[in-house]
Amino acid sequence: MAYDPTSLSWEGRFPKNEIISLLDVNRPFNLAESTAKDLSFGELLDLVGLDSLRDLKLGYGSSAGLPALRAAVAGICGVAPEAVISTQGTALGLFLLAFELCRPGDEVVIATPCFPPSRDALVGCGVALREVAQRFDEGYRLDLVHMAKALTPGTRMVSVGSPGNPNGVRLSEGTLRELLNLMAERSPRAFLFVDETYREATYGGPTPASAAVLDPRVIVGGSVSKAHGAPGLRVGWLIVSDPTLRERLTVAKMNVVISGSPLDEALAAGLLSRHESVLAPRRAMLAEALGILGRWQAGESARLDWVRPDGGALCCLRLRPDCFDDVAVARFWAALPGHDLQLAPGAWFGEEERIFRLGFGYLPIGGLTEALAALTRAMNAVLDNDSEP
Ligand SMILES: Cc1ncc(COP(=O)(O)O)c(C=O)c1O
């Protein structure tokens, strides 16, 4: 199931990771998705207005992105519009950083578990990775002691996510500042990349400020994919203070995709400039869904541990070793399709097999409740089966 680095049959430049199946498999009880409910095109058109798009010319876009989009992102993140480069999702930003900021053999320190392409884009570009594991048992707090040990004068980039995928754990401003101080001491050439793809997916509380305002060495990535529910627009951004690096990344983007789609960027700009009306009901729904999940987990706490997320529509749970031995864990994964269930295995993100990512924002509330009941039935079936001679 997970990528096997010892496999000789895979000749791809990027490691093969079964997370790709999320694009093609969608079972009725889909608890594998990381997004909030998909926004429909009709909802978006109602927000943006068709008339505002009629005269849009479908030529190439501009190299750094549509000015209205850059201005909208800048306003939301508290930076200058010139600092923003549009990308096709945060995903393109991950690739551009791996390919252009880094050179083969450069060192990058990355906090794991993480979104597979955050790591695999670096592997594909020949970067020397230093992975610093955050632990389920420590609530996935960033381990600054281990981070410090991994930093060297050769470190070119440090990569973290906030909130992280798969766990939804946010990094506080204090932690990011401590990390920047460590980098200043040990890795003066390094930039800090903070993946903020889930930043605005809160549960109703205030949205933490973007890390882009903390320091010129910070590069931020984000998109309309998660909190806004519009991953199909394929619109994201990088925020880069350093003008030289920004120009390099813009030239790299031109060489890979020429420009973003003006239509997608105009729709995303319209969405972002009115986004509170989209985010508010989604945040209320996430809060309700998290409440349901928390109560369900409390009832399942003899069999499942969890790390409560700080943001995003996703979190990590663990099949307790005192209930599920390794054979039962394998049976659990095998049982899911029969229960119409879909979960994201921890192994995709560099975690143990017994840990899984559960997405609680994708299904409507009624569907979530039914899916959690199906998960209870699946665990019952696995453990009943286990107790048979
Ligand atoms: C942490 C993180 N970064 C980046 C991405 C890429 O998303 P997109 O390219 O749609 O913005 C994802 C998607 O799951 C993610 O979880």
Side-chain angles (χ1 to χ4, degrees):
M1 182 177 299
Y3 159 63
D4 174 3
T6 60
S7 160
L8 294 178
S9 61
W10 176 249
E11 292 181 1
R13 188 178 276 273
F14 297 94
K16 193 171 173 189
N17 188 303
E18 277 305 313
I19 197 170
I20 197 170
S21 66
L22 287 185
L23 295 173
D24 305 310
V25 179
N26 192 347
R27 294 194 197 121
F29 296 138
N30 186 341
L31 297 171
E33 269 301 341
S34 59
T35 52
K37 180 169 85 77
D38 288 336
L39 192 71
S40 75
F41 188 52
E43 284 173 288
L44 185 52
L45 267 192
D46 288 347
L47 195 71
V48 174
L50 186 54
D51 285 344
S52 72
L53 298 167
R54 272 193 193 285
D55 293 332
L56 185 76
K57 298 277 189 283
L58 295 177
Y60 287 116
S62 51
S63 62
L66 191 76
L69 173 65
R70 297 171 73 201
V73 173
I76 289 166
C77 296
V79 298
E82 303 76 63
V84 180
I85 309 169
S86 73
T87 54
Q88 266 91 335
T90 312
L92 179 62
L94 295 173
F95 174 74
L96 293 177
L97 289 171
F99 190 73
E100 180 52 45
L101 171 60
C102 307
R103 291 289 178 272
D106 275 358
E107 285 175 20
V108 170
V109 176
I110 185 166
T112 60
C114 64
F115 175 53
S118 310
R119 176 187 177 280
D120 295 347
L122 295 160
V123 173
C125 292
V127 164
L129 270 186
R130 292 178 162 229
E131 298 185 31
V132 178
Q134 320 309 308
R135 312 250 170 238
F136 185 101
D137 285 318
E138 290 162 14
Y140 288 116
R141 274 192 323 277
L142 191 69
D143 185 336
L144 287 170
V145 174
H146 283 104
M147 281 303 237
K149 285 190 189 143
L151 295 169
T152 75
T155 308
R156 200 69 187 107
M157 182 167 83
V158 176
S159 175
V160 296
S162 179
N165 179 2
N167 48 48
V169 173
R170 246 183 231 282
L171 302 177
S172 68
E173 184 184 323
T175 300
L176 288 171
R177 285 197 190 280
E178 277 184 64
L179 181 55
L180 284 161
N181 288 342
L182 290 170
M183 287 167 57
E185 277 167 29
R186 293 162 188 251
S187 310
R189 289 176 66 238
F191 285 88
L192 173 60
F193 174 63
V194 184
D195 188 328
E196 293 187 344
T197 303
Y198 299 91
R199 183 176 68 94
E200 288 177 290
T202 68
Y203 312 133
T207 308
S210 169
V213 298
L214 288 184
D215 191 286
R217 287 170 297 158
V218 172
I219 300 169
V220 151
S223 75
V224 295
S225 297
K226 308 296 179 178
H228 303 84
L233 281 186
R234 304 308 304 132
V235 175
W237 51 85
L238 287 176
I239 301 177
V240 186
S241 303
D242 183 295
T244 311
L245 177 59
R246 199 162 64 227
E247 190 178 1
R248 281 170 50 190
L249 291 165
T250 309
V251 169
K253 172 185 160 186
M254 199 282 284
N255 276 273
V256 179
V257 293
I258 299 186
S259 77
S261 149
L263 177 58
D264 292 351
E265 293 195 350
L267 288 167
L271 170 57
L272 288 177
S273 55
R274 298 166 188 80
H275 76 168
E276 275 312 321
S277 65
V278 173
L279 291 176
R282 285 165 178 270
R283 287 171 175 157
M285 190 203 146
L286 282 189
E288 187 181 352
L290 183 61
I292 290 170
L293 176 59
R295 288 188 290 280
W296 176 81
Q297 188 279 330
E300 287 290 1
S301 58
R303 308 197 283 192
L304 282 177
D305 300 318
W306 81 322
V307 175
R308 195 184 173 85
D310 305 312
L314 72 191
C315 62
C316 283
L317 291 105
R318 178 172 63 189
L319 299 166
R320 289 180 60 115
D322 50 354
C323 276
F324 292 84
D325 59 16
D326 290 349
V327 175
V329 169
R331 277 205 202 126
F332 172 80
W333 287 111
L336 295 182
H339 291 265
D340 284 339
L341 273 163
Q342 205 172 343
L343 290 166
W348 291 355
F349 309 91
E351 259 297 6
E352 296 172 53
E353 286 288 330
R354 61 177 57 255
I355 291 176
F356 56 86
R357 183 185 79 183
L358 187 148
F360 51 87
Y362 179 71
L363 294 173
I365 291 293
L368 173 67
T369 308
E370 282 179 48
L372 294 175
L375 193 46
T376 290
R377 286 195 298 278
M379 288 191 290
N380 291 344
V382 168
L383 294 177
D384 284 354
N385 192 342
D386 231 20
S387 58
E388 280 170 18

